[in-house]
Amino acid sequence: MNLRFPAASVPSRRRNPLRWGVNYTPSEGWFHSWQDFDVDAVRADFESIARLGLDHVRIFPLWPLLQPNRALIRPAGIADVGRVVDAAAEFGLDVSVDGLQGHLSSFDFLPAWVTSWHRRNIYTDPEVVEAEARLITALATEVGSRENVLGMTVGNETNQFAVERHPEQQLTTPVEMGEWFKTLLAAARKAWPTGMHQHSFDDNAWFVDSCPVTPRHAATLGNATTVHSWVFVAVAHLFPQGHPARTLFADYLVQLADAYADDPARPIWLQEIGAPYPAVPFDGAADFLEQSLRPVLDTPNLWGVTWWCSHDVSRKLADFPELEYTLGLLDSNRRPKPAGLRLAELIAAEKANPTAPVQRSTALSFEPGDEATGIGRSVADPSGELFTSWLARAASGTKPALVRASTTSDAGYLAARGITDVVV
């Protein structure tokens, strides 16, 4: 059944230019390089990034190095973060700072005072949360006055420690997780009132009923909704090489983020997207990049795209999953790879002739279940009927939006999103 509504006007251009960035992975020593900080190596990395036409980087200082004891935040470690921000400014790059690292590329970086004999819940233990807030405050205080900083993300995919598949799961509830986000975001906001602050998560938050980070958290807490699009998690095992599901997955996640937001203008940041081998063949990375990004570029409230990642992990380092060694736009010698060159071409083309925003007039309605607990969100999983229906239309060029069933009677909301036809 189709419901029809009055048409809305469509803006001819964005209020602000689309931002293009990369998640910064140091070419020398990966994130372990924070232990032997070399600002000249950082400068060389940033120079190679800037040559691709990128305008910002997201950086990841390691939590155990910044706060090795609950009562100790190392001034030298915090200062190094500021030095990275300053180095980025030399090459015209803005910086977003992640706070609690946390989880990166299959490795966990938790300080010793929350592990083993000192194991404490990072989400619910009052003393731990207070210490985390102090670290967020220290980072925000250090960088917030610099002109080339954007804001802070609480941490990278912080839900990883709370999901059932984690070998040392830290139990928490959606209510507790929401309070944790609010506490840490408030700390960032108090120390840095003008920053763009948010939290991040993997796609379990959109698809897995038991994940304590819910779509409600994703789309209402912080200044923007972040999207991390990784095809090897939810899509590659369902759809073969060459299937449009793989290159349209990022757009689907962006539409989900839009659907769950109460504010039709809430910014969406495609904060992570990469071309993981073997889900994406080595010789197909450049095409995958372009075919994945082009469908999202006309999203009116898309803030920006930040590719994962800048530089390949060096083969000198051991025990990474194979895909992590090949995700860079540049290799570990700072040489551009085909995907990096393709992104540079895309950025140049978009700067010369930006894709105009388009409000999607047709939307598929879905019932998300209990939004407070997230139970029922699995209706949106790529194995389900909603994705199948959305994909059929998207692959044919229709480019549908998504809406929650509860919003289909809200004419003002639908008009704000430009939706005139709802498929229920």
Side-chain angles (χ1 to χ4, degrees):
M1 181 174 68
N2 284 54
L3 304 177
R4 297 188 178 277
F5 302 88
S9 61
V10 179
S12 60
R13 62 181 61 191
R14 295 181 183 278
R15 182 178 304 173
N16 297 301
L18 190 69
R19 303 300 303 265
W20 295 93
V22 69
N23 293 276
Y24 173 45
T25 50
S27 64
E28 298 181 16
W30 193 62
F31 297 109
H32 306 301
S33 60
W34 287 105
Q35 298 178 86
D36 302 295
F37 186 72
D38 181 349
V39 72
D40 289 332
V42 173
R43 287 192 181 102
D45 284 346
F46 285 165
E47 182 178 18
S48 66
I49 289 169
R51 285 176 178 170
L52 298 179
L54 296 159
D55 60 53
H56 70 274
V57 292
R58 178 178 169 221
I59 67 170
F60 306 87
L62 298 182
W63 183 8
L65 299 182
L66 296 179
Q67 195 175 33
N69 181 275
R70 183 168 61 84
L72 172 64
I73 296 174
R74 293 177 54 248
I78 298 295
D80 284 344
V81 177
R83 294 171 71 192
V84 170
V85 173
D86 292 340
E90 296 176 26
F91 299 96
L93 296 170
D94 289 342
V95 180
S96 179
V97 180
D98 267 41
L100 300 174
Q101 277 16 283
H103 175 86
L104 291 165
S105 302
S106 83
F107 287 96
D108 291 343
F109 294 94
L110 294 180
W113 48 272
V114 296
T115 63
S116 186
W117 300 105
H118 295 268
R119 180 176 170 83
R120 303 171 82 166
N121 193 298
I122 64 172
Y123 308 110
T124 62
D125 185 296
E127 290 185 330
V128 172
V129 175
E130 189 274 336
E132 293 166 341
R134 283 192 289 108
L135 178 57
I136 293 289
T137 298
L139 285 166
T141 301
E142 172 68 26
V143 304
S145 63
R146 288 166 163 86
E147 293 184 357
N148 67 314
V149 285
L150 299 167
M152 291 191 67
T153 301
V154 168
N156 185 56
E157 298 184 354
T158 50
N159 66 302
Q160 292 266 357
F161 298 103
V163 296
E164 294 172 350
R165 70 178 186 278
H166 195 280
E168 297 180 6
Q169 181 187 14
Q170 302 219 6
L171 297 174
T172 188
T173 68
V175 170
E176 291 168 336
M177 185 67 85
E179 290 303 310
W180 187 70
F181 286 136
K182 291 174 185 176
T183 297
L184 298 185
L185 288 167
R189 177 70 53 215
K190 183 177 180 180
W192 184 358
T194 60
M196 186 179 85
H197 307 310
Q198 53 282 313
H199 63 98
S200 79
F201 41 86
D202 63 20
D203 60 27
N204 279 193
W206 303 115
F207 302 140
V208 178
D209 287 350
S210 62
C211 180
V213 178
T214 69
R216 189 74 183 162
H217 296 144
T220 64
L221 299 181
N223 296 116
T225 302
T226 61
V227 169
H228 290 195
S229 177
W230 289 104
V231 295
F232 67 85
V233 178
V235 173
H237 69 287
L238 295 172
F239 302 93
Q241 290 284 0
H243 197 285
R246 297 191 177 206
T247 50
L248 288 170
F249 183 56
D251 187 36
Y252 180 67
L253 290 175
V254 167
Q255 298 313 310
L256 269 181
D258 227 358
Y260 273 108
D262 294 332
D263 177 5
R266 179 175 169 85
I268 299 171
W269 179 6
L270 185 51
Q271 191 183 50
E272 286 188 23
I273 178 171
Y277 176 85
V280 179
F282 291 133
D283 61 359
D287 287 343
F288 177 85
L289 179 149
E290 183 169 1
Q291 292 166 16
S292 295
L293 294 184
R294 284 199 177 278
V296 307
L297 297 184
D298 62 2
T299 305
N301 50 327
L302 182 69
W303 177 84
V305 173
T306 309
W307 192 261
W308 188 284
C309 55
S310 63
H311 299 82
D312 285 346
V313 177
S314 171
R315 293 281 179 180
K316 296 177 182 178
L317 298 177
D319 300 329
F320 285 84
E322 179 61 27
L323 66 91
E324 299 290 348
Y325 291 105
T326 62
L327 289 170
L329 296 173
L330 305 110
D331 65 23
S332 56
N333 293 310
R334 306 188 181 101
R335 296 173 299 202
K337 296 164 57 180
L341 296 174
R342 182 70 63 85
L343 182 58
E345 293 171 358
L346 181 58
I347 293 170
E350 284 295 312
K351 288 181 177 179
N353 185 25
T355 297
V358 176
Q359 291 178 313
R360 304 185 181 200
S361 59
T362 299
L364 276 61
S365 171
F366 68 100
E367 176 52 65
D370 185 337
E371 293 193 46
T373 64
I375 296 174
R377 77 187 98 172
S378 54
V379 68
D381 186 87
S383 63
E385 294 181 3
L386 178 66
F387 182 72
T388 299
S389 181
W390 181 91
L391 180 62
R393 289 170 169 82
S396 69
T398 304
K399 298 194 72 170
L402 295 168
V403 291
R404 290 168 291 155
S406 61
T407 65
T408 58
S409 59
D410 188 337
Y413 168 85
L414 295 176
R417 291 189 59 194
I419 295 169
T420 59
D421 294 275
V422 177
V423 181
V424 298

